[in-house]
Amino acid sequence: MSNDIKICIDLIDDELLSGWFINNKFPENDQLSLYIDDEYKAVTLANLEREDVKEEHGQLHCGFSFEIEQFLGFRCLKLKSADKTVIFTHTNKAENIDPPLDLTMAYSQQRHQQLQRMKIDLSKPINGSNWYDIEPTGRWGGPELESEIIIPALVAGNYELKLKIDNHFCDLATMKVFLNNDCINFSNTEFLAPVILQAKVAVTKEFPCWKLRFKYSKFCSPDDNMAEQRKLAIFLETVTFNKITTLN
């Protein structure tokens, strides 16, 4: 790669690819194209403000971000500059690639258990109890002290669980979450909203469905909104399960 090109990837996971990109020779060419398994998928401009990069490399507008959640299961990801030069390549580990689904098979539990990943979007209808009506990005738990989501069962195994919580009035430090009656221990303990709580869980038995329960120690209505009389616990946006090979 030319010394005129600088690129740094800050984050790459199941949902996001982000970092910064500098083209010293042609600073006006800040375009980046995303290729998944050698197929063009998206384009963006590296023009987000990055004060940290400006201090080190003298360029403020150089940050970029791609949402890659929809491409889960890819084998190779590439970023190309405006002149089609490959400037970044990322190859998925074999264990992270979903096996191909038989798309001719009608929906069934057998087909569902082929999935390695499941995402529940609470801005859409769910099967559960003690949740307020759908809002644009999710919904509030309440008015009782226990909420439940019933989930189609995946195959038994080890999973990474992520809860995307935008806001709360229930004290997350004392909230208890259970998966199929097993209490979940979250790895991150800084409970400042918005937050994505993360935990590794083991499902050792086959279940007809999975049940995710939230037990709140308290709830309340926001003090700064007199019109809001609902008893609110957590505002949950998404629940995500990713199959992993080990709990270590």
Side-chain angles (χ1 to χ4, degrees), residues 92-151:
N92 244 350
K93 295 180 181 179
E95 59 265 28
N96 293 334
I97 300 174
D98 290 345
L101 295 179
D102 180 2
L103 298 179
T104 64
M105 186 191 307
Y107 176 81
S108 66
Q109 186 63 36
Q110 180 182 1
R111 182 184 181 188
H112 193 83
Q113 287 181 340
Q114 294 182 58
L115 298 177
Q116 302 288 301
R117 183 176 189 270
M118 176 170 54
K119 180 176 180 180
I120 298 95
D121 184 346
L122 275 85
S123 68
K124 296 179 172 56
I126 61 170
N127 185 4
S129 60
N130 195 49
W131 298 97
Y132 284 105
D133 291 341
I134 294 172
E135 298 186 26
T137 59
R139 65 179 76 196
W140 282 100
E144 306 299 329
L145 285 173
E146 182 172 322
S147 298
E148 183 178 73
I149 302 175
I150 300 174
I151 303 165

Side-chain angles (χ1 to χ4, degrees), residues 15 162-166 195-197 235-239:
E15 299 180 357
K162 293 182 180 180
L163 305 178
K164 187 176 182 182
I165 297 173
D166 182 67
V195 63
I196 298 178
L197 301 186
F235 189 86
L236 185 61
E237 294 189 355
T238 58
V239 176

Side-chain angles (χ1 to χ4, degrees), residues 56-76:
E56 184 70 20
H57 299 284
Q59 186 163 324
L60 175 63
H61 295 92
C62 60
F64 68 88
S65 179
F66 285 100
E67 292 185 0
I68 60 173
E69 182 178 3
Q70 59 187 309
F71 308 122
L72 186 73
F74 68 84
R75 296 184 179 276
C76 183

Side-chain angles (χ1 to χ4, degrees), residues 15 118-120 122 131 149 151 160-167 172 175-179 184-188 190-201 212-216 234-242:
E15 299 180 357
M118 176 170 54
K119 180 176 180 180
I120 298 95
L122 275 85
W131 298 97
I149 302 175
I151 303 165
E160 181 184 44
L161 169 63
K162 293 182 180 180
L163 305 178
K164 187 176 182 182
I165 297 173
D166 182 67
N167 201 354
L172 292 181
M175 179 181 72
K176 294 186 181 299
V177 182
F178 298 85
L179 176 62
I184 298 170
N185 295 313
F186 291 100
S187 59
N188 49 326
E190 297 179 2
F191 299 120
L192 298 176
V195 63
I196 298 178
L197 301 186
Q198 301 180 55
K200 293 181 179 180
V201 297
L212 192 64
R213 290 188 297 118
F214 301 80
K215 298 187 72 170
Y216 318 116
I234 59 171
F235 189 86
L236 185 61
E237 294 189 355
T238 58
V239 176
T240 306
F241 288 91
N242 281 302

Side-chain angles (χ1 to χ4, degrees), residues 210-229:
W210 289 2
K211 294 183 179 180
L212 192 64
R213 290 188 297 118
F214 301 80
K215 298 187 72 170
Y216 318 116
S217 60
K218 65 176 184 178
F219 47 65
C220 68
S221 300
D223 295 332
D224 58 353
N225 187 349
M226 297 300 295
E228 178 60 88
Q229 299 298 313

Side-chain angles (χ1 to χ4, degrees), residues 34-66:
L34 174 68
Y35 286 76
I36 300 294
D37 295 332
D38 291 323
E39 291 187 7
Y40 168 78
K41 296 297 183 181
V43 64
T44 193
L45 300 178
N47 59 4
L48 303 177
E49 290 189 4
R50 290 289 300 262
E51 290 285 354
D52 56 331
V53 181
K54 180 182 178 182
E55 292 181 6
E56 184 70 20
H57 299 284
Q59 186 163 324
L60 175 63
H61 295 92
C62 60
F64 68 88
S65 179
F66 285 100

